[in-house]
Amino acid sequence: MGILEGKKILVTGVLTEASIAFSAARLAQEQGAEVLLSSFGRMLPITTKIAERLPKPVKVIELDATNAEHLAALPGHVKEHLGSLDGIVHAIAFAPQTALGGNFMETEWSDVSTAVEVSAYSLKAITAACVPVLNNPSSVVGLTFDATVSWPVYDWMGVAKAAFESTSRYLARYLGDKGIRVNLVSAGPLRTTAAKGIPGFATMEELWTDRAPLGWDLTDTEAAAKGLVALLSDWFPATTGEMIHVDGGLHSTGA
């Protein structure tokens, strides 16, 4: 039996096989879970096609985390396809190009607000929408890039991730009495589709490959996905509001 045997998991953010979310969905299935994927807009057919590469067939539902109608319909989709949920993987983030790559001082609020809504508030929006179908106990896990410090070129996405990390802690506070745990995995830089959209991202790649005590493989999404799956499981029954680093240990090394 796998550590997610019999569990029902919603996974957001699957776009390509290089997505951490794809590895999480695959590992969740291998560990016994039934998985439901979400995507939206022009990415929906892409996610549907990529889903065919998972070990078992999955349904893909449309979910734009900034769309009130989609959020209202989410519990119904869950009931239709899974009945209820034991876990959610939040792997959604976006910032306009003007909010990245050294443009911090020039970025307009309209672009900053987009980054914060999609990358931070969406954690609350999706979790709140799913509360009626989340079992007790259950686990919500998200992906971050440690925002306790500033990073080159990450700019307003770093600010959005700081809001995301704070949001996870407040969700942990308010949902604990329902048996819902909320935790994050802080992964090192990976060559995902999202990373390719960050100008100057190579500077962070070099930092990790040079300094991470355990070394760092820029193409291995499985390490971060294993962290997500572990937090989804019953092996962290008393852990919530936490951020687990899966970054080769670089966070511990200082400047």
Side-chain angles (χ1 to χ4, degrees):
M1 290 179 63
I3 62 172
L4 297 184
E5 193 69 34
K7 292 193 180 296
K8 301 171 183 179
I9 309 295
L10 171 65
V11 180
T12 69
V14 172
L15 184 57
T16 70
E17 283 186 276
S19 304
I20 299 173
F22 179 88
S23 287
R26 175 179 58 79
L27 288 171
Q29 285 189 335
E30 291 173 356
Q31 290 298 316
E34 190 175 354
V35 172
L36 177 66
L37 302 183
S38 74
S39 189
F40 79 101
R42 61 184 178 82
M43 294 183 289
L44 186 60
I46 299 173
T47 301
T48 302
K49 188 66 177 176
I50 291 297
E52 295 174 1
R53 302 177 189 179
L54 289 169
K56 299 176 184 178
V58 297
K59 295 290 185 180
V60 182
I61 62 171
E62 185 166 19
L63 174 62
D64 177 348
T66 68
N67 184 309
E69 292 181 1
H70 286 198
L71 291 165
L74 182 53
H77 289 312
V78 169
K79 289 177 182 177
E80 177 185 355
H81 297 296
L82 296 180
S84 62
L85 287 175
D86 300 293
I88 300 170
V89 174
H90 181 287
I92 298 170
F94 172 77
Q97 287 288 299
T98 55
L100 300 162
N103 296 313
F104 187 87
M105 298 299 293
E106 288 75 41
T107 309
E108 299 290 338
W109 167 244
S110 58
D111 289 339
V112 173
S113 64
T114 296
V116 172
E117 181 180 15
V118 177
S119 307
Y121 186 78
S122 64
L123 178 63
K124 179 267 178 187
I126 292 172
T127 303
C130 287
V131 164
V133 291
L134 276 165
N135 294 322
N136 184 351
S138 58
S139 175
V140 177
V141 293
L143 282 166
T144 191
F145 189 74
D146 191 342
T148 59
V149 296
S150 63
W151 297 105
V153 308
Y154 210 45
D155 292 355
W156 286 101
M157 180 58 86
V159 175
K161 285 296 188 183
F164 179 71
E165 292 165 15
S166 183
T167 299
S168 72
R169 291 188 288 270
Y170 276 95
L171 285 171
R173 172 182 288 270
Y174 285 108
L175 298 178
D177 62 353
K178 300 181 185 298
I180 301 171
R181 309 186 310 278
V182 185
N183 295 290
L184 303 180
V185 165
S186 177
L190 292 161
R191 289 175 179 166
T192 61
T193 300
K196 292 175 182 177
I198 302 175
F201 187 75
T203 59
M204 286 194 279
E205 293 182 342
E206 293 167 4
L207 182 68
W208 251 265
T209 54
D210 290 344
R211 285 181 39 202
L214 292 175
W216 187 249
D217 184 340
L218 295 163
T219 62
D220 178 18
T221 58
E222 188 165 299
K226 284 181 175 178
L228 294 172
V229 169
L231 287 167
L232 287 169
S233 78
D234 295 330
W235 287 93
F236 283 87
T239 299
T240 195
E242 186 60 270
M243 181 169 72
I244 305 296
H245 288 85
V246 182
D247 67 347
L250 185 132
H251 72 281
S252 67
T253 63

